[in-house]
Amino acid sequence: MASVGHEQDSDDTVTIICTDDKADEFDEIELSISSISSWDVPSILSHTLLKIKVNSNKLIEESSYFRGLLSGSFSESGLDSIPIHWNLESFVSVLMVIFGCPVEISSDNFIPLYEMWASSFNSFNDLPGELLCSCIKHPDLTVDSERHLCNATLVWLTAKTTKSEGWIDNIDHEKIRTTLLPLWFAAGTRRCRLFSKVAGRATAAILSLAKQPSLSLIGIFREGDMNHNRIRLTKYTQSFVKYFAHAILQKVDLSGCPQITLGLFLLSVLPSCGADSMLRKIIKKSSINHAIIGVDSSQISLALGQILTFEAVQEVDISNCPSLSLDSIVDCLCKSFPSLRTLRAAYFLNFRTTKLCWLVQKFPLLTNVDLTLDINPLIPSKVSVISSSPIPKAQRSTTPVDIHSCHSVASLSYTLKPLPSYITKLTLEGRTDISEVCTSLNYVNLKGCISVTDRGISAMILKCKNLQSVLACDTSFGNSSILALCSGNSSATQGSKKNSQLNVYKLLDLHISGCYGIDGVILSELLSGADYLRSLCLREIQFIDNALCSFSGSSLKILDVSDTKVSCAALYHVICRNPDLKCLKTRGCTNLLQLEMESEERKLCNASFTKEELYSQLGKSCKLEEIEFGWGFSLLSLEALKPAIRTLRTIQIGVGGSLGHNGLKLLPVLCPLLETLILYFQVISDSVIANITKTLPHLQFLALCYCLGDISSLGFSSRLPNLRNLKLERVAPWMTNGDLATLAGNCANLVELSLIGCTLLNSESQDIISSGWPGLTCLRLEECGEITANGVGSLSDCHALEDLILRHTVSDVFAFLLQASKSMGESLIFYSCDLYSIPIEGSGIPRNFIIYAASKVSLATNCQCFGKYHLTYVMQGRVILTFQVYVGKYSLHIFADRYFLSIVKIARCKLQKCTLDFGDVEARRTPVHKETLVLYWNSEKLVRTVVKERLY
């Protein structure tokens, strides 16, 4: 922490604390307004938190914003320190103007259009169309991504009372480069009346580029002008402006764009005059190899010599770009963006972390790397494995030799030389091929890394001397890792648990949810020394009372003790000491159901109080933003929390909690800013649902699961334009196709939809879903009548689907396929080399559905990289065995050659005979789960595993 120009406090002096919300960590500096004339602005703006002592009367006199904030209208007027959230450079400029210092205003430091947060202001809608159009068409416009620009334009168009249809019709190519939009965004905007034609053309263009990248680029050259396919990299991203350098640091966001290839990227970073001939040579070569990633090193070297440099770019996000190869684009990135500090490259299944050393050597300034994968569904502590075996990998002569490949290992290893880098934040979530990490880390995310051992994690902790954040949920994190955190990094003695040399003393974040085998005594030792913890997640870890009661920290903001046996006493102890608590999760904690603490618990926290007094204390001392409650939570509990939940954003009520009709009616009044509302096993009604949908304008995620009550479609008659995720699970058996169409009209912007138990739906529902929500990325349909009775062809119009779950959606498929298997012979069904030749007539999902879905829904291409795409398929009976063998036999073709699938889950059912209803044939043939087949690609090999559990 730096300090500049302190002055004596006075009655009219206030400390303004201005923070950069985009920062992951806060590097603060203290300033005094008395020395403002000599401020070193570039140095000041290198920090992410400014504490400035300033005369409050001057602020009130010169600024209407501070006049309202400090003159008594708000509670902040009585505080000595006022937190605000401004752009740091803008705030410093305002202060300099207020206190008479000269400020140079130019096009280089004026707040640029790329701050899309600007669209949230009412004044943005009053921007003249000509000015907006000129800004968009200006060659020097810089934006994080074309999506941000397009979204802001849609906000402006929607707000206008008179529309310029000609302006809208020409919006693509001339104004917004629609071929660079993420697929899910382009597909979703097809529902927008003002943008439907443009979105349709954009979606078609994106799909064309993604399916045939080389041929599509040749078509681009035929069009002549290629500017509409160039990423917006301008002179303002090429160099720093010395005085206001902080304002122009740029981010390039290409996430979610399956059409982005190496060729398209080169088109943006090569000089305009030379890009044509250069790319023609590369495209010709790549066409021979059937993939743009097959370009040989000589072609890339030829291009690298001419690539432009953009020094102001410090962050690049290429997550979920399955047509890119991280191996092949790294050289281009390091040449184009030499100042790169953050690289987000999630869902690159073919990039192995054994190449991390090579990666960090390419970017000497890199500090933040995200290599997230989807978490393997086979968490050892949660499944019972029946059988597991790797599927041999076929050799392909057309695959270029990977000079960077090396064998992966099952645990963290430090036999190699430590990685020489400045990386401080590393995210390896879901990875199974971890072999090494950087010793400079202060943040590491290993969530779901099931192959990492406790010994490996402890070795990492001991090597990383600056480690402050460990996220290791659902791993083998255990006693050895805890002991490593409790140890010291130097020869300092263990005489003082508060010794600053101890690893635990530096710990800020510890997430070890789902890690079994942790000893309570050792955990208590850890928490007794973790005085600066700000985030603690202990979900599913039992016997944590003593550990929580030994915790003496006062900086905690997040506490998750869901599904544990935590007591009121232990929670009360933590709540009393941590008034800055923002997030509390206690769902599934059955011990909280006790009406009053036992004597032992009272002694533990040295207090005597009831359960409701626990919530009262929470309401008095905290300002909550996220809560999850279950057992024992009631209307009285909600009333006690009133003072703490005015700013609540997320609430989840689970099993054992009951708000009742009055509590659910009261919820929007007490929590007007709610964005996420998840209710399990609550008693609801149409009036409750209608009240929620009408009075919560910010609602983005609504889940009603296994709820009781008399409800109908009337509860969903209000429009919810901001809703992005909707789950109706076992609550809407009344839903018909008409109700589904009404829902699509009122909730037009959904990207995730889950329907369970809507038994009245039929095959026409597919068209309603695909036309009503073309931008869906996640769709789950379970026990939804005959929705798949005539196949699943219409669902392929949801081009952006990443996760698809179908369970028990039609009842007559089993009988047909069972009969087909008998007539054709068992060996043919199980061992045929070409199952496409087997005649499938009649209703239901065809046996080649996985291949069909992968090719139609998940963007079949010829590249060898993989994106974030899943498929879960569940049906009854023998068809599952067919799928098992078929997928197993052709899995290399599915996973390695053409498609983006990373996980396939196929559940097999058996027929459960019912002895209670002898007259009902269907009741005697109720399907129940037997086992699940999981095919999982772990970036090195395909593993086939059969487990007992019913996986989602």
Side-chain angles (χ1 to χ4, degrees), residues 633-638 651 653 657-665 667 677 679 682-683:
F633 191 76
S634 64
L635 174 58
L636 293 177
S637 308
L638 186 67
I651 183 172
I653 306 298
S658 179
L659 289 180
H661 180 84
N662 292 334
L664 293 174
K665 281 279 192 178
L667 199 58
L677 175 60
L679 301 176
Q682 301 297 299
V683 178

Side-chain angles (χ1 to χ4, degrees), residues 176-191:
I176 296 179
R177 301 171 186 181
T178 53
T179 54
L180 298 179
L181 292 172
L183 176 59
W184 66 268
F185 181 84
T189 52
R190 286 159 49 194
R191 279 296 309 269

Side-chain angles (χ1 to χ4, degrees), residues 374-378 383 780 802-807 849-850 869-875 880 883-884 887 895 901-908 929 931-936 943 945-947 949-952:
D374 285 300
I375 295 177
N376 190 327
L378 304 174
V383 298
R780 177 182 180 183
E802 298 176 1
D803 296 82
L804 177 60
I805 301 177
L806 301 175
R807 290 183 187 271
F849 171 61
I850 291 182
Y869 297 90
H870 303 247
L871 186 62
T872 299
Y873 172 67
V874 178
M875 282 299 295
I880 301 306
F883 263 100
Q884 288 183 8
V887 176
F895 280 78
L901 283 175
S902 61
I903 300 173
V904 173
K905 292 178 282 187
I906 306 173
R908 186 159 74 96
H929 178 267
E931 59 195 22
T932 302
L933 166 72
V934 180
L935 294 169
Y936 177 74
V943 179
T945 305
V946 180
V947 298
E949 284 71 19
R950 186 177 189 262
L951 302 176
Y952 290 101

